[in-house]
Amino acid sequence: PRPPPFALSPGSPALFPPSILLPTRTLTHSQVIAIYVLSGLYFILFVFPLVQVIRIRLRNPYLGWNTQKIFLMMTSISSIIRSSFFGSIPWLNGSADWFEPTVENNAAFTLLLNIPRVIYISTYLLLVLFWAEIIHKVTNQPLYETRRLRPMFVTSNGIMYIIQIVFWVFLLGFGKLAETLHIAIVENLFYCVISVAVAALFLIFGGRLYFMLRSFPIESTGRESKLHEVGLVTIICSISFISRSVFLAVRSFDLEADYSAWFVLSYFISVEVIPSAMVLLILHKLPPVKEKSVNSPLFNSSDQDYSYGTAYSGESQSGDDAWVIDRSPRVNNDEGKPVSLW
């Protein structure tokens, strides 16, 4: 039978001493390089957003958990789990191929593989939610419609997590039944559909926001930079999720495809590492310094909601532009009323 990407190779030389990095197994050079490169890259993706959260805390000690901080923390959490997963493959189940519809993976291996995926999807749905809220506020949608967005976000994420738990119950508790029902294939197809839906949401709301920005006067503060930010993030995220869906669809129906360690490396770098790094770099700006006030508690529920990252407008004391989620140029709508876009 064809060996999986990280199958055991007892006769092959080890790149590192087994007593140090590979306590129970000897992997090929390509397998060792792939898992530790991915582990290192994801660790960098863990450190960068965590440092950003700390910088925001030091810069704005009175700023609550807004969308930007939640986005960064979720990125950091999913990345450290990925890093731990790849770094611990020799200790877990190095002979399991996580792209194969199989029920041979042990519990820790399966959970460490799948948990970051659902967190990653929730992270970028959070960004879509923020864009949707901005569009609703700028276009003067009824308040009750805007307030429905967050419950819809929570509900959709809750359904996704519940379905994932059902998959885990089948895969880890009813192995033979899961194999008979092809649960692993169903799981791949489920996330294929989810990825297409997320890509569509980025195209819809990112596109609307982009053309909305273009409709504002050229002299609007920060208009051009925000155009580039929205356009780039929309393209990057859409391509990332579409690529993921294509891979999952092909993998579900082409069970004989040969996926080497280098293919696994390329897959995770192309659908998660590079997109996440680019989005973090594009949206790296910090919120402006905000002094504590009597009417601005830590978790504010006013129109400029710092607790969940609705747009904030105004000039930073340092002169720096803030990140896309916490800062907006002030532009005028048809009635001449200032509107916070970012």
Side-chain angles (χ1 to χ4, degrees):
R2 174 178 57 85
F6 292 101
L8 302 182
S9 301
S12 61
L15 184 62
F16 301 104
S19 60
I20 299 177
L21 296 178
L22 309 174
T24 60
R25 298 173 174 83
T26 300
L27 306 179
T28 64
H29 285 70
S30 61
Q31 292 162 358
V32 172
I33 291 172
I35 61 177
Y36 285 114
V37 165
L38 286 171
S39 180
L41 291 174
Y42 277 109
F43 187 78
I44 294 173
L45 286 179
F46 156 70
V47 172
F48 182 80
L50 185 62
V51 170
Q52 287 291 87
V53 172
I54 295 173
R55 291 179 64 198
I56 294 173
R57 172 64 181 174
L58 296 176
R59 182 183 177 92
N60 291 278
Y62 306 112
L63 183 61
W65 279 96
N66 60 359
T67 308
Q68 180 181 11
K69 292 171 75 173
I70 296 173
F71 180 91
L72 293 171
M73 280 304 301
M74 291 177 71
T75 301
S76 186
I77 291 171
S78 65
S79 297
I80 192 59
I81 298 176
R82 280 279 193 229
S83 179
S84 302
F85 167 71
F86 286 111
S88 61
I89 282 177
W91 284 267
L92 296 174
N93 191 359
S95 62
D97 176 7
W98 52 87
F99 294 100
E100 292 282 352
T102 178
V103 295
E104 296 176 354
N105 299 351
N106 62 42
F109 189 95
T110 302
L111 293 176
L112 286 175
L113 170 65
N114 292 335
I115 289 175
R117 177 171 57 188
V118 291
I119 298 177
Y120 183 88
I121 293 173
S122 296
T123 301
Y124 284 87
L125 282 175
L126 180 65
L127 183 56
V128 172
L129 168 67
F130 177 73
W131 284 0
E133 289 183 329
I134 293 296
I135 292 171
H136 273 241
K137 291 182 179 181
V138 173
T139 56
N140 296 319
Q141 296 294 322
L143 183 60
Y144 72 90
E145 290 191 8
T146 303
R147 288 179 174 174
R148 288 169 52 188
L149 294 175
R150 296 185 189 182
M152 290 173 61
F153 167 79
V154 174
T155 302
S156 60
N157 276 273
I159 293 173
M160 180 177 66
Y161 281 86
I162 291 172
I163 294 176
Q164 179 61 71
I165 292 173
V166 172
F167 288 144
W168 286 336
V169 170
F170 273 100
L171 290 172
L172 302 176
F174 305 94
K176 294 298 182 182
L177 179 61
E179 191 172 13
T180 302
L181 298 176
H182 303 289
I183 294 298
I185 297 178
V186 174
E187 183 182 17
N188 277 348
L189 293 177
F190 171 73
Y191 282 103
C192 174
V193 174
I194 293 293
S195 298
V196 171
V198 175
L201 289 173
F202 268 103
L203 290 173
I204 292 170
F205 290 102
R208 288 186 62 186
L209 198 55
Y210 180 84
F211 288 106
M212 186 182 299
L213 275 166
R214 289 192 62 181
S215 68
F216 288 124
I218 297 177
E219 62 273 11
S220 299
T221 306
R223 175 182 178 273
E224 291 301 317
S225 64
K226 300 307 176 186
L227 272 173
H228 291 127
E229 288 178 0
V230 174
L232 287 174
V233 172
T234 299
I235 293 172
I236 291 168
C237 294
S238 300
I239 293 176
S240 169
F241 282 100
I242 290 174
S243 300
R244 181 192 294 267
S245 66
V246 170
F247 172 83
L248 291 174
V250 171
R251 192 66 197 92
S252 297
F253 296 105
D254 187 8
L255 302 181
E256 299 301 322
D258 184 13
Y259 295 105
S260 66
W262 298 115
F263 184 86
V264 173
L265 177 66
S266 302
Y267 168 75
F268 280 99
I269 288 178
S270 61
V271 303
E272 285 189 4
V273 175
I274 292 179
S276 296
M278 293 181 69
V279 170
L280 288 173
L281 289 175
I282 293 170
L283 307 181
H284 71 280
K285 296 177 182 178
L286 301 181
V289 175
K290 181 72 174 178
E291 297 294 336
K292 182 179 180 181
S293 64
V294 176
N295 297 322
S296 298
L298 184 61
F299 290 95
N300 196 327
S301 60
S302 64
D303 290 339
Q304 294 180 350
D305 183 6
Y306 273 82
S307 67
Y308 209 72
T310 47
Y312 171 81
S313 61
E315 293 299 325
S316 167
Q317 293 182 10
S318 64
D320 297 330
D321 288 329
W323 193 59
V324 61
I325 285 181
D326 288 285
R327 172 68 187 278
S328 66
R330 297 186 67 86
V331 294
N332 294 328
N333 58 13
D334 296 337
E335 300 176 357
K337 181 181 178 181
V339 175
S340 291
L341 183 59
W342 277 117

